[in-house]
Amino acid sequence: MGKITALANQKGGVGKTTTTINLAASLAALDKKVLIIDADPQANASSGLGIDIKKIKNSIYECIVDKAEPTEAIVPTDVPNLFIMPSHIDLVGAEIEMLSLDNREKVLKGILNTLKDQYDFILIDCSPSLGLITVNALTAADSVIIPVQCEYFALEGIGKLLNTIKIIKSKLNTDLEIEGFVLTMYDARLRLANQIYEEVKGHFGDLVFQTVIQRNVKISEAPSYGQPILLYDPESKGSLNHMHLAQEIIDKNK
């Protein structure tokens, strides 16, 4: 039985999609079968793994709106063991189309329940908003990972996300747990980055992953080549950080 984890933070630019892609690739490299669900209309997780959106016949949109068979929307990536259900700009309109559905918050849960047994980990890349698709992702998930950027406004908006998680836990998904907070774009040379780390650690204690994702040019370059950092530059800090994070998650879920 696979574990479904949503990566969520309604604040944009915190490294959420980058973390999803590279964590998934690292888990796959550690012999886990992994599926990414690209639940963001911007489809950055899809393009970041070299998927040509224009050539995709079925995406998460068709599964949600047209009841397409989920297995027909899943495509392999260049990383062995790593698969993705791509997104599409049409997903923007899916929220409106879902309003008339019964149990509209549980549509994605129904889709993922049919896939759960086939993978060790299913990672959902959420959009930087708390709309209906993100609510669906959190309702379908067993846990949530919250990427936090090491910058001045790091904790801004986390309260709103935690409140949303609390509401979903009480009304839609009593099993939802916070897997952890992962600090991204960390630069040890900056006093501010260290202050943010201490602040987040002070707030959330053991929920903060020991692994931090360091600021790394190679991580920024990799998506433009349609590759995770593991393929683009396996020796880089960014690649090693994500491998450590993947191992930490595997150890946590033993």
Side-chain angles (χ1 to χ4, degrees):
M1 179 72 81
K3 182 166 190 179
I4 302 173
T5 301
L7 283 92
N9 191 331
Q10 81 275 18
K11 192 172 185 298
V14 298
K16 181 173 47 57
T17 300
T18 303
T19 304
T20 306
I21 290 172
N22 292 307
L23 172 57
S26 299
L27 287 166
L30 292 168
D31 293 327
K32 301 297 177 185
K33 192 177 180 189
V34 187
L35 172 65
I36 292 176
I37 305 294
D38 190 350
D40 184 348
Q42 294 176 75
N44 290 336
S46 305
S47 59
L49 283 169
I51 307 299
D52 186 346
I53 312 301
K54 298 185 190 74
K55 292 181 179 171
I56 291 296
K57 189 180 170 197
N58 286 317
S59 69
I60 185 173
Y61 173 83
E62 282 75 21
C63 292
I64 289 173
V65 175
D66 300 333
K67 305 286 188 288
E69 184 59 45
T71 50
E72 290 178 10
I74 293 169
V75 291
T77 69
D78 290 339
V79 180
N81 286 333
L82 178 58
F83 301 81
I84 185 166
M85 181 184 285
S87 185
H88 195 279
I89 190 64
D90 289 351
L91 195 60
V92 171
E95 298 208 350
I96 297 163
E97 297 180 61
M98 288 164 77
L99 288 175
S100 60
L101 299 176
D102 292 333
N103 282 331
R104 57 178 178 255
E105 298 90 354
K106 297 184 177 179
V107 177
L108 190 56
K109 185 181 178 75
I111 292 167
L112 296 189
N113 277 347
T114 66
L115 301 169
K116 205 170 179 182
D117 290 343
Q118 298 166 43
Y119 299 90
D120 296 307
F121 290 94
I122 297 176
L123 303 185
I124 311 173
D125 184 33
C126 300
S127 67
S129 75
L130 293 177
L132 188 52
I133 300 286
T134 300
V135 168
N136 261 264
L138 294 172
T139 302
D142 300 307
S143 68
V144 55
I145 290 175
I146 303 169
V148 180
Q149 186 180 358
C150 286
E151 54 136 60
Y152 183 66
F153 295 113
L155 296 177
E156 192 183 71
I158 286 184
K160 203 178 282 185
L161 176 62
L162 293 178
N163 195 43
T164 302
I165 290 169
K166 191 175 167 186
I167 292 166
I168 286 170
K169 198 170 161 62
S170 67
K171 294 186 170 13
L172 295 165
N173 182 2
T174 52
D175 296 328
L176 183 64
E177 299 292 343
I178 294 175
E179 183 95 11
F181 294 81
V182 58
L183 284 129
T184 63
M185 305 179 206
Y186 179 81
D187 188 339
R189 297 168 302 176
L190 300 178
R191 196 172 66 192
L192 177 65
N194 293 303
Q195 285 173 348
I196 298 295
Y197 180 82
E198 293 305 324
E199 197 176 342
V200 175
K201 193 81 177 152
H203 264 79
F204 302 110
D206 291 342
L207 283 175
V208 181
F209 285 107
Q210 289 178 349
T211 307
V212 295
I213 308 300
Q214 291 166 282
R215 192 175 283 282
N216 180 237
V217 175
K218 299 288 185 183
I219 286 187
S220 308
E221 291 174 357
S224 61
Y225 291 88
Q227 291 182 328
I229 189 69
L230 192 71
L231 293 184
Y232 182 67
D233 189 346
E235 299 300 316
S236 68
K237 270 185 199 167
S239 182
L240 298 174
N241 290 163
H242 283 97
M243 285 298 284
H244 287 148
L245 180 61
Q247 190 61 60
E248 199 175 334
I249 287 169
I250 289 169
D251 292 344
K252 205 174 179 184
N253 285 285
K254 275 179 179 167

